[in-house]
Amino acid sequence: VKLSDPTEARLFVGYAAGPGLQALEGNSQNGFFTQALLKVLRSDLAREDIRAKFFGSVSDFVGQISGQKQRPEVRQNMNKGFVFKQEHA
């Protein structure tokens, strides 16, 4: 990602699995990480600060459905909170 002003960069990157770990697929149309992400996006947590409660819930759910075999990882440098805003057409 090339930014015009790197000092203003606020990035949040979520990986399905941490270093050296495999992202698992399960028996669903989506892998465990995507299942968890979709579940939490549809919940009230999508309106919470993504850095803590939101992604913590995604990680917890991935651990639950993978039998603790998969652990997502987050890299972020955000000094401010971030929430999803639902727009109605």
Side-chain angles (χ1 to χ4, degrees):
V1 176
K2 190 171 188 171
L3 303 167
S4 58
D5 184 358
T7 62
E8 291 296 316
R10 287 188 292 276
L11 299 174
F12 183 95
V13 180
Y15 297 94
L21 298 174
Q22 184 176 8
L24 304 172
E25 296 300 318
N27 297 325
S28 176
Q29 171 181 332
N30 299 306
F32 292 149
F33 180 77
T34 303
Q35 288 178 53
L37 188 59
L38 291 171
K39 177 181 178 170
V40 175
L41 278 171
R42 292 179 183 124
S43 76
D44 289 338
L45 287 170
R47 291 183 288 281
E48 300 284 343
D49 188 338
I50 194 171
R51 294 175 302 169
K53 290 183 183 179
F54 178 87
F55 202 79
S57 295
V58 171
S59 296
D60 290 347
F61 188 62
V62 168
Q64 221 175 24
I65 61 179
S66 72
Q68 304 305 321
K69 294 178 185 167
Q70 181 176 339
R71 291 186 309 277
E73 182 171 324
V74 169
R75 303 283 173 102
Q76 62 94 18
N77 69 346
M78 298 168 65
N79 58 355
K80 296 180 182 178
F82 175 87
V83 296
F84 289 99
K85 181 180 177 186
Q86 185 174 0
E87 297 281 334
H88 296 284

